[in-house]
Amino acid sequence: MVDENSRVTAYNPGLRPSWIQEQIRSLRSIRSELGQKMKNLNVRHTIVIVLWTALTLGLLPVYYAEYRAETTGAETASLPPPADTEVRSWKVVARDLIKVWALGTTETYLVLRLSLTLLQIPGVIGSTLPRTLTIAACVCGGSAFLLSAVFISMRSKLNRGKIAHLWVEASPSLSAPEALVFWTTLVSPMSYLIWSLLFCILTLLVVSWNRYIGGGPTPDGGNSANTKAAFITSGVFLTSLIIGTVVQIRRAISLVRGR
């Protein structure tokens, strides 16, 4: 004869075996981890977009809103090779961008002459901060000129269907890393030009301020810890800037070649 209490225990649907409860806890833990990873990914991507927007001085969202293709994510999910309409639309955008780059080439030439002239001002070559700012202006101005020259000289390759395909793929949003690379490459000539002009203005302000508060520039010299730290900081900054510009120029050449 089976005890009534044991029969209730055996058939009670509210009681689950321990291994089922463990599986449920494991699934809940996995779901929580996935949710946290997605949240961290969104935060990280937002930080990257904000950083690139700052580095391009706010031109990245402007170029994206002005020149992107009017497509949705659903249209590009299974995108075939570029149609004639897409190629024609991209040719219109490329023609407008070439006009902007051509105008920027003339302005870059003037800013480059200004930055080279600043090197002849007393107190620029002999002081770390003004010298660093002036060299940075020269690097950014030269990069802007080279990037514009790359795009303009290879304008025939910009009209190819493969670049139109990349343009359509990068248009739905800036969420994909490829889209960020595409748009930052297009905006890089103008952003480098503005950075060069800003460095020139900062150089003039620093030199004027040094003359105002000290009667003249503070020359480099000595073996003090501050002087060595200034030299190291200047070297690291300029080296990083040069490496970044070289990478951006290589990206521009790869983009024009459709790679």
Side-chain angles (χ1 to χ4, degrees), residues 41-257:
L41 182 62
N42 292 334
V43 171
R44 194 178 302 116
H45 179 69
T46 302
I47 294 175
V48 170
I49 292 179
V50 171
L51 178 61
W52 276 111
T53 302
L55 290 176
T56 58
L57 299 172
L59 292 179
L60 174 61
V62 174
Y63 268 58
Y64 175 72
E66 181 68 21
Y67 297 114
R68 70 187 181 93
E70 296 298 331
T71 56
T72 62
E75 295 173 352
T76 59
S78 58
L79 190 69
D84 292 339
T85 55
E86 294 170 354
V87 175
R88 286 197 298 268
S89 300
W90 166 246
K91 286 182 178 180
V92 174
V93 173
R95 184 171 62 247
D96 293 341
L97 288 172
I98 289 173
K99 292 179 181 179
V100 174
W101 294 326
L103 179 63
T105 302
T106 304
E107 297 172 350
T108 302
Y109 174 73
L110 298 176
V111 174
L112 268 176
R113 292 193 61 178
L114 173 62
S115 59
L116 292 175
T117 303
L118 290 177
L119 291 174
Q120 304 176 23
I121 298 177
V124 173
I125 278 293
S127 186
T128 303
L129 181 57
R131 182 177 64 245
T132 302
L133 292 173
T134 306
I135 295 175
C138 293
V139 172
C140 290
S143 301
F145 187 83
L146 288 175
L147 286 166
S148 298
V150 166
F151 286 126
I152 294 174
S153 63
M154 304 177 72
R155 68 178 70 185
S156 60
K157 295 185 178 181
L158 280 175
N159 295 326
R160 294 187 306 180
K162 190 171 184 180
I163 300 181
H165 181 73
L166 295 175
W167 171 62
V168 174
E169 285 186 334
S171 293
S173 70
L174 293 174
S175 58
E178 294 80 7
L180 276 176
V181 172
F182 180 86
W183 290 108
T184 52
T185 303
L186 294 183
V187 79
S188 56
M190 292 304 298
S191 62
Y192 274 120
L193 171 60
I194 298 176
W195 273 115
S196 180
L197 183 59
L198 288 178
F199 283 132
C200 289
I201 295 174
L202 287 175
T203 301
L204 292 174
L205 291 177
V206 170
V207 172
S208 302
W209 179 256
N210 287 339
R211 289 183 177 276
Y212 176 77
I213 65 173
T218 302
D220 294 333
N223 296 318
S224 63
N226 291 335
T227 303
K228 291 181 179 179
F231 272 112
I232 294 174
T233 304
S234 174
V236 171
F237 171 72
L238 292 176
T239 302
S240 302
L241 182 62
I242 293 172
I243 293 174
T245 55
V246 171
V247 171
Q248 200 64 43
I249 292 172
R250 291 191 62 182
R251 284 179 175 175
I253 296 174
S254 299
L255 175 63
V256 172
R257 290 180 176 177

